Amino acid sequence: MGELKLMKGNEALAEAAIRAGADAYFGYPITPQSEVLEYLANHAEKRTGMVILQAESEIAAINMIYGAGGTGKKVMTSSSSPGISLMQEGLSYIACSEIPCLLANVVRGGPGLGTIQPGQSDYLQATKGGGHGDYKLIVLAPASIQEMVDFVKLGFDLAFKYRNPVMILTDGVLGQMMEKVELFDQIPRSKEIPRWATVGKPPTRERNIMTSLNLQPEPMEKHNEHLQAKYREIEKNEVRVETIDCDGADYIFTAFGLTARICTKAAQLAKAKGIKVGLIRPITVYPFPYEAYAKYATKVKGFFDVEMNAGQMLEDVKLGVLGKAPVEFYGRMGGMIPTPEEVFKAFEEKFLGGKA
Amino acid sequence: MSDTMQVAENLVYKKPKTLLDVAMHYCPGCGHSTTHKILCEVIDELNIQSEVVGVAPVGCSVIAYNYLDIDMQEAPHGRASAVATGIKRVLPEKLVFSYQGDGDLAAIGTGETLHTCNRGENILIIFINNGIYGMTGGQMAPTTLENMKSTTTPFGRDVKKMGYPIKMTELVAHLPGTYYVTRQSVHTPANVRKTKAAIKKGFEYQRLNKGTCFIEVVSNCPSNWKMTPIDSNKWLVENMLPFYPLGDIKVPSKEEN
Ligand SMILES: Cc1ncc(C[n+]2csc(CCOP(=O)(O)OP(=O)(O)O)c2C)c(N)n1
Ligand code: SF4
Ligand SMILES: [Mg+2]
């Protein structure tokens, strides 16, 4: 059993980065995730020699990631919504150049400067590419501090397996709250140099180039096809989803991250009234677990999607259900967190004509 | 070069090994190609091919990596020095340089340039100042001279409306993070030699870990200046050099060396 600790989400994420053997972190302060950089500044270098640098902006940070990631090192950044928006051009370059890296978006309510309270309103940006061009990030949505920790390790593994950026899509509550976590043991920093890394060209190999450019459309289309084939592979292999009590359920609640925990409570309220409710929680929001919805679409009376946004995952839920059952939505925006009672009440109103 | 090629007995010049034997896309007479060549000569002479990682910008030199036989990365527009920072921080033993145009380094990438130099990143920045956006077809650059015509200043740059040409090299020389700052050019063989010597110092100083080396190359853009290569070099002497005077701006003090 690994070391048990009571930790704040952002600090747990940072601790996991050190333990995962990350080589470098480049970031810029923004609430509600500044503790990641603060914690790393305090602990990382003296423990593993990990490089920690506060960049002058998120634009600089993501480009430092591009450079350092291109050398084959395990690199990571984190930010919150406005900062992640600034990183989008760099992410598009990184995805196209197939540089592995890990980033965390500790989402706050938007749009604009929004609030510093939690949100889930960057779902579409995270899962549909976010920047320009046809590309995808692998997106993991933790619902506990334990998953914040575990997904750092998983995230690095997936990033290197597919040479693709991986995002941990979390929120201000998970970043700020404390929970008990089991930490994995320290993984030594790797000394391996991937064959594609730009580390200086020895006479024994061709030069390595990190670029996203092709002046000719034909090879650029070929590269796009290569990327798309990789995404299909990811969709085939990497879907992760949690389903609770869905067999025999009359209704299925669905949510990701923090709202999934709220929905678990709301489902208990329903069960106390004798209503059979299940829960589908996508763990990877890209690749999205469409099949989990398709499987139950003909068996339930309806799906109830809850998010801290105006209905973003809703589009994917509907693609999974494909019109075979009613899908209703309840959302709070701008940093507001729904309570389980409120969620249950909304469910009653939408599906049960007001009262269970 | 192929092995079967006859080598002249009295060979006085040959292509640097690091410069790949491919046709360049640069316009005839463009300073980019000359600068590439001397950069490769320096890499050959210092025998550092296996230690160098370069960063290409977005601009006419975006595919510099097609010509240089070294590991390279191609940065988003303006971010080359941030990309170079990332590389150097995780590979402190390697020799890292960025190669950037004036739009790239002094407009969209001003922030990255200043902060890279201010942190004193141990990298070499080669800055090609041709007073114009070459790649996108001759728009005003931050370095475009007062009254100079471009496609976006068709009546000449009106500094009251468009601001003043910016001297990045003087600016970064003020920062304690820079170690060696110089402005050179490649419009005559004598100047080419001086620029080459500067680039050589830039790599040699990098091993000392004393801060950023910054080399401006005042260059030309015959195509967008709408001149022959020879006229463009004449124009450079008469117009660019009075405003961007050549020479060292910051050199390591004697006792340091
Ligand atoms: C984000 C972004 N904005 C704009 C451009 C378009 N663009 C490409 S090169 C360039 C200017 C290049 O000029 P300079 O840096 O002076 O290089 P030169 O071609 O003169 O060597 C611009 C504006 C781009 N590629 N990316
Ligand atoms: S457009 Fe100007 S800068 Fe670009 S290659 Fe031609 S001459 Fe050189
Ligand atoms: Mg230019």
Side-chain angles (χ1 to χ4, degrees):
Chain A
M1 183 146 182
E3 188 183 349
L4 287 179
K5 262 192 159 170
L6 184 66
M7 287 191 99
K8 191 171 180 168
N10 287 330
E11 296 183 346
L13 187 89
E15 175 63 31
I18 300 172
R19 289 182 183 237
D23 293 300
Y25 173 95
F26 302 93
Y28 187 82
I30 181 171
T31 308
Q33 66 77 54
S34 298
E35 295 86 356
V36 179
L37 174 57
E38 288 167 352
Y39 187 95
L40 288 171
N42 215 343
H43 300 280
E45 197 186 342
K46 58 179 181 246
R47 273 171 49 190
T48 63
M50 181 181 174
V51 171
I52 309 296
L53 184 60
Q54 177 171 338
E56 64 271 31
S57 70
E58 290 87 350
I59 297 178
I62 196 68
N63 284 291
M64 290 170 186
I65 291 285
Y66 180 101
T71 71
K73 301 283 183 184
K74 260 188 181 176
V75 295
M76 177 180 171
T77 185
S78 63
S79 187
S80 179
S81 310
I84 298 287
S85 291
L86 277 181
M87 291 184 183
Q88 293 301 329
E89 184 202 33
L91 278 172
S92 171
Y93 275 65
I94 287 172
C96 188
S97 311
E98 303 196 81
I99 294 175
C101 67
L102 181 65
L103 58 151
N105 183 358
V106 186
V107 181
R108 56 194 249 180
L113 193 52
T115 63
I116 57 169
Q117 276 75 34
Q120 294 185 316
S121 39
D122 299 351
Y123 176 93
L124 287 172
Q125 183 199 53
T127 57
K128 307 299 168 187
H132 59 286
D134 281 315
Y135 74 92
K136 297 283 192 184
L137 313 176
I138 297 171
V139 187
L140 305 168
S144 64
I145 314 294
Q146 186 64 54
E147 283 188 337
M148 297 269 271
V149 167
D150 296 342
F151 290 178
V152 168
K153 197 164 149 202
L154 174 65
F156 275 126
D157 288 347
L158 292 172
F160 276 84
K161 180 171 177 195
Y162 294 100
R163 281 186 64 183
N164 206 70
V166 174
M167 175 183 276
I168 295 177
L169 183 69
T170 178
D171 66 68
V173 166
L174 289 168
Q176 295 296 325
M177 76 181 195
M178 292 182 91
E179 259 181 349
K180 188 175 81 175
V181 285
E182 184 184 345
L183 297 164
F184 53 85
D185 291 340
Q186 179 68 47
I187 299 167
R189 286 176 56 200
S190 171
K191 291 200 170 63
E192 244 172 76
I193 302 170
R195 63 185 160 71
W196 44 262
T198 55
V199 294
K201 175 200 168 318
T204 46
R205 66 155 164 81
E206 290 291 296
R207 67 199 196 284
N208 284 336
I209 308 292
M210 282 297 153
T211 185
S212 59
L213 174 76
N214 240 311
L215 292 172
Q216 302 303 324
E218 292 84 1
M220 194 63 213
E221 187 181 49
K222 276 259 160 310
H223 184 61
N224 266 276
E225 286 164 357
H226 160 73
L227 292 176
Q228 291 302 318
K230 178 169 87 174
Y231 303 146
R232 296 300 87 75
E233 195 64 21
I234 291 169
E235 287 160 9
K236 206 171 77 197
N237 301 337
E238 305 301 342
V239 171
R240 286 166 174 80
V241 60
E242 184 184 17
T243 53
I244 302 171
D245 296 339
C246 286
D247 293 330
D250 284 328
Y251 299 94
I252 288 179
F253 289 3
T254 186
F256 71 96
L258 182 72
T259 38
R261 287 176 68 155
I262 297 165
C263 282
T264 313
K265 284 268 177 221
Q268 283 165 10
L269 297 176
K271 278 175 202 157
K273 298 210 173 188
I275 310 162
K276 283 192 261 171
V277 170
L279 176 80
I280 297 180
R281 174 174 79 95
I283 294 172
T284 50
V285 281
Y286 178 81
F288 191 77
Y290 295 106
E291 279 169 21
Y293 297 88
K295 183 175 166 195
Y296 294 105
T298 52
K299 299 187 179 116
V300 296
K301 294 181 189 158
F303 290 85
F304 186 46
D305 175 25
V306 184
E307 302 178 53
M308 293 194 296
N309 59 43
Q312 298 196 8
M313 185 177 82
L314 183 60
E315 295 182 8
D316 284 322
V317 171
K318 284 181 174 170
L319 278 173
V321 173
L322 275 178
K324 292 185 181 125
V327 178
E328 293 286 354
F329 172 74
Y330 182 71
R332 297 296 301 264
M333 294 173 288
M336 292 300 289
I337 309 166
T339 63
E341 292 74 21
E342 182 185 337
V343 168
F344 177 65
K345 191 158 160 277
F347 164 72
E348 279 184 315
E349 274 164 17
K350 298 199 191 254
F351 282 102
L352 309 173
K355 268 266 161 280
Chain B
M1 269 187 267
S2 90
D3 298 336
T4 55
M5 198 189 270
Q6 283 264 288
V7 178
E9 275 169 41
N10 54 347
L11 185 73
V12 289
Y13 174 82
K14 66 176 184 340
K15 180 187 76 60
K17 187 170 70 79
T18 306
L19 191 66
L20 291 163
D21 202 3
V22 290
M24 279 189 176
H25 75 287
Y26 296 115
C27 307
C30 174
H32 275 304
S33 39
T34 316
T35 312
H36 281 26
K37 191 196 74 174
I38 54 177
L39 173 60
C40 289
E41 286 177 356
V42 169
I43 293 171
D44 282 5
E45 286 167 26
L46 295 176
N47 195 20
I48 52 174
Q49 185 191 31
S50 63
E51 293 171 72
V52 171
V53 183
V55 182
V58 176
C60 274
S61 47
V62 65
I63 48 174
Y65 54 79
N66 279 357
Y67 312 127
L68 276 52
D69 193 17
I70 55 173
D71 281 0
M72 283 192 81
Q73 299 197 21
E74 195 289 303
H77 191 26
R79 318 303 169 203
S81 67
V83 173
T85 296
I87 299 170
K88 183 72 183 186
R89 287 285 175 138
V90 294
L91 300 176
E93 307 300 322
K94 302 286 163 139
L95 298 168
V96 179
F97 73 89
S98 74
Y99 183 106
Q100 304 176 248
D102 43 351
D104 193 83
L105 178 141
I108 192 167
T110 314
E112 283 78 5
T113 307
L114 288 180
H115 285 282
T116 300
C117 291
N118 194 48
R119 285 190 305 265
E121 297 294 340
N122 287 303
I123 62 165
L124 166 63
I125 298 176
I126 300 173
F127 165 39
I128 307 294
N129 175 10
N130 56 11
I132 202 128
Y133 284 12
M135 187 191 212
T136 40
Q139 297 82 9
M140 179 184 73
T143 45
T144 297
L145 297 174
E146 184 169 359
N147 295 324
M148 182 174 166
K149 284 188 180 163
S150 73
T151 59
T152 49
T153 54
F155 311 108
R157 181 176 186 162
D158 176 353
V159 295
K160 293 266 162 9
K161 287 186 192 152
M162 324 274 187
Y164 295 84
I166 192 166
K167 295 183 177 178
M168 279 307 275
T169 307
E170 278 80 353
L171 262 175
V172 302
H174 281 298
L175 302 172
T178 50
Y179 186 63
Y180 171 56
V181 180
T182 189
R183 182 185 284 120
Q184 302 294 335
S185 75
V186 289
H187 70 289
T188 71
N191 290 97
V192 169
R193 279 196 293 278
K194 284 187 192 164
T195 306
K196 183 176 160 184
I199 294 174
K200 202 174 224 171
K201 278 188 208 161
F203 280 118
E204 284 168 344
Y205 288 154
Q206 196 173 139
R207 292 204 195 279
L208 306 177
N209 284 328
K210 294 232 168 142
T212 313
C213 293
F214 189 99
I215 301 172
E216 173 177 342
V217 180
V218 181
S219 191
N220 60 352
C221 178
S223 294
N224 289 300
W225 290 4
K226 304 193 193 324
M227 292 173 201
T228 64
I230 289 175
D231 286 348
S232 76
N233 280 343
K234 223 173 118 210
W235 196 89
L236 180 147
V237 172
E238 286 165 5
N239 299 276
M240 294 285 277
L241 297 188
F243 190 77
Y244 298 113
L246 302 183
D248 289 340
I249 298 172
K250 188 179 195 176
V251 289
S253 57
K254 290 240 160 48
E255 57 272 26
E256 280 184 90
N257 281 304

